Amino acid sequence: MEFVNRTVIGGRELEALSRGTRKTVRKRRSLIVQLLAVLVIVLNLAFAWASWRVGDSRWWLNGAVAGFLLVITLREDWFNLRLTGRYVQPDAQEVTTVFQDEGFTQTSKAASGRFSYHQIENICETSEYFLLYLDHNLGQIYSKDGFTRGTAMAFRQFISRKTGLTVRSIR
């Protein structure tokens, strides 16, 4: 069986890929970083409160740092998108992928590449996308609405059978 998917990679796709990476491939590291961020936020709030209590006029600096870190922690995927999204070449934004029994081929105006199913280490899906991770630094995203040949439901079964991996659902 053959599946063909056409996905246009934009901000929403990159943010979904970043979220999927954080929740699966880099889950442990991300948890450690988030715990440290919460600790630093709590410490800054405690310092701001203590400074305010003794009458120091600079108490708001610690509060501002805590607020800034809170925003970064809550919007981590958005910030990752802003940092990595600029590296997507305009010619590489529209990707057509053909999944066949022996492997799959990705083609864009910028380049093309051939992959085998044993290279895939992790498979996830959201309500809108399939996410395939070849390693900790290389993820591929496919829109469920982008299938021009085959369906998303049939693809889920196909990719699971070809890789021997379970497709994990993430929000």
Side-chain angles (χ1 to χ4, degrees):
M1 181 164 211
E2 183 175 273
F3 293 88
V4 177
N5 182 285
R6 182 183 164 275
T7 301
V8 177
I9 299 173
R12 289 182 53 203
E13 289 76 17
L14 291 173
E15 191 170 353
L17 191 61
S18 175
R19 186 179 323 106
T21 303
R22 178 176 49 83
K23 290 185 173 189
T24 58
V25 177
R26 297 181 180 159
K27 187 175 184 175
R28 183 170 183 231
R29 190 186 92 184
S30 181
L31 179 63
I32 292 168
V33 168
Q34 287 180 344
L35 288 173
L36 288 173
V38 168
L39 176 66
V40 171
I41 290 168
V42 169
L43 286 173
N44 271 288
L45 289 174
F47 291 147
W49 182 78
S51 296
W52 178 74
R53 294 273 297 161
V54 298
D56 186 355
S57 63
R58 295 173 291 172
W59 64 270
W60 63 272
L61 287 172
N62 286 96
V65 169
F68 179 71
L69 289 174
L70 182 64
V71 168
I72 289 175
T73 302
L74 294 175
R75 298 288 294 164
E76 177 183 357
D77 299 325
W78 184 85
F79 282 105
N80 283 338
L81 159 69
R82 294 295 168 237
L83 292 173
T84 60
R86 60 187 170 158
Y87 296 114
V88 178
Q89 300 172 358
D91 289 344
Q93 290 178 342
E94 187 175 314
V95 179
T96 301
T97 307
V98 179
F99 295 90
Q100 298 172 319
D101 284 330
E102 58 279 346
F104 60 104
T105 305
Q106 272 191 338
T107 307
S108 70
K109 290 179 183 175
S112 65
R114 179 106 176 111
F115 304 93
S116 65
Y117 295 111
H118 77 272
Q119 290 178 274
I120 299 173
E121 294 180 1
N122 203 337
I123 307 170
C124 305
E125 73 173 314
T126 67
S127 59
E128 299 177 16
Y129 305 105
F130 285 106
L131 311 169
L132 306 181
Y133 294 98
L134 280 65
D135 62 28
H136 283 46
N137 296 316
L138 180 58
Q140 300 172 343
I141 188 163
Y142 303 101
S143 173
K144 287 184 176 181
D145 295 335
F147 284 98
T148 58
R149 192 172 308 143
T151 64
M153 184 175 278
F155 178 74
R156 181 186 307 110
Q157 295 170 349
F158 172 82
I159 198 71
S160 182
R161 183 172 36 84
K162 285 294 182 183
T163 61
L165 301 170
T166 303
V167 178
R168 297 188 329 184
S169 181
I170 58 173
R171 294 187 304 142

